[in-house]
Structure formats: C-alpha cells, structure tokens
Amino acid sequence: MDENNWQKVRGYLANEIEIDYLDFRGEIPRQVTAEEYVQQRVDALSGLRTLHISTNHEVTIKENVAYCKSAYCIYRVDPKLEAGQDRFDTAGNYLHQLIRVDREWRVNAIKQTVVVMSGNRQVHGAFRNISS
C-alpha cells in the first residue's frame, strides 16, 4: 500500500472479503468485493505518504484456511498540511484470514483492532470533511 501498487494489493485478495474496521471507521462489519476494498484504500490514502509496519506474526494453518494475527503501526503524512496537523497515526492488531485459491493464499477476512489513534483524523480519507 505504501508504494500505491494497487494491482499488487488486489493480487493478495480473494474475490470477496469480510472486513471489520468497526474500531477504526465505526462501520458495521460487512462483505465487500476485492475491487471495492482496493478502491476504498485508494480513496483514503490519496495524496498521503504512508508507512505500514506489521510485526509479531502468529500464523495458524488448518487445511485450506490460515489465520494470521499481527501487530501494526501505520503512519500517515499529508504533505499539503502544516506541521502539527499533517499526521494521523494508528497502532493495534490485525487478524487476517486466508484461503487457498488454486495453489496460492488469498486474504478473505480482515479484522482491525485499534489500540492507539493519534493526530489529525482529517488526514485520512475516511474522516475528511467529517466533524470530530
């Protein structure tokens, strides 16, 4: 995502994804197409410099389904904004579910749990023009 290589991101996804971003976006968990998921990221991160860090991966595989728990930190910088208002950072945990499609693994479910949220929420496209 940091490289804005959306075709590559799409290649890691199953055709349908169950997403749970309730902690972050306040949206009810739902199923979306991979294309919708990618477009949502394109819109939210447009114009930003980002750094997604993922660590502490714990992977469990049960036949054709895998689960990956991880910790994350995401830094977002909007170079068009003044210093002090140009950052929005989050950290927490992810649970990704993957399924085997042909001979490759594809993400088909994502749950994000937020532990830390700091900075200007308006930096992120999901919160632009929304009153805090």
Side-chain angles (χ1 to χ4, degrees):
M1 288 189 202
D2 297 328
E3 297 172 356
N4 296 319
N5 187 338
W6 305 114
Q7 184 175 354
K8 187 174 184 180
V9 171
R10 171 59 182 95
Y12 294 128
L13 304 173
N15 290 332
E16 299 282 329
I17 310 160
E18 185 68 33
I19 58 171
D20 183 346
Y21 286 96
L22 183 63
D23 269 11
F24 181 68
R25 294 173 179 257
E27 298 173 348
I28 302 298
R30 62 193 173 99
Q31 189 162 320
V32 297
T33 67
E35 289 73 19
E36 288 174 284
Y37 180 84
V38 170
Q39 189 60 52
Q40 193 175 43
R41 264 97 220 124
V42 169
D43 295 343
L45 302 177
S46 176
L48 303 183
R49 290 184 294 138
T50 63
L51 178 63
H52 291 70
I53 299 170
S54 181
T55 188
N56 296 350
H57 299 92
E58 180 183 319
V59 178
T60 305
I61 301 173
K62 296 179 182 176
E63 296 181 19
N64 290 322
V65 179
Y67 303 90
C68 180
K69 294 180 187 179
S70 63
Y72 75 89
C73 185
I74 304 171
Y75 299 100
R76 303 168 192 85
V77 178
D78 187 336
K80 296 181 300 299
L81 297 177
E82 65 185 65
Q85 292 298 310
D86 61 343
R87 295 244 332 244
F88 180 55
D89 307 327
T90 54
N93 300 287
Y94 271 115
L95 176 59
H96 288 86
Q97 179 179 298
L98 299 92
I99 56 170
R100 196 180 308 252
V101 177
D102 297 322
R103 302 181 79 184
E104 297 182 5
W105 292 98
R106 303 278 189 234
V107 174
N108 75 321
I110 303 169
K111 178 182 172 84
Q112 181 186 50
T113 304
V114 177
V115 176
V116 175
M117 190 180 294
S118 66
N120 178 4
R121 290 170 53 118
Q122 295 292 311
V123 166
H124 193 283
F127 302 110
R128 287 182 200 130
N129 304 317
I130 297 175
S131 300
S132 300

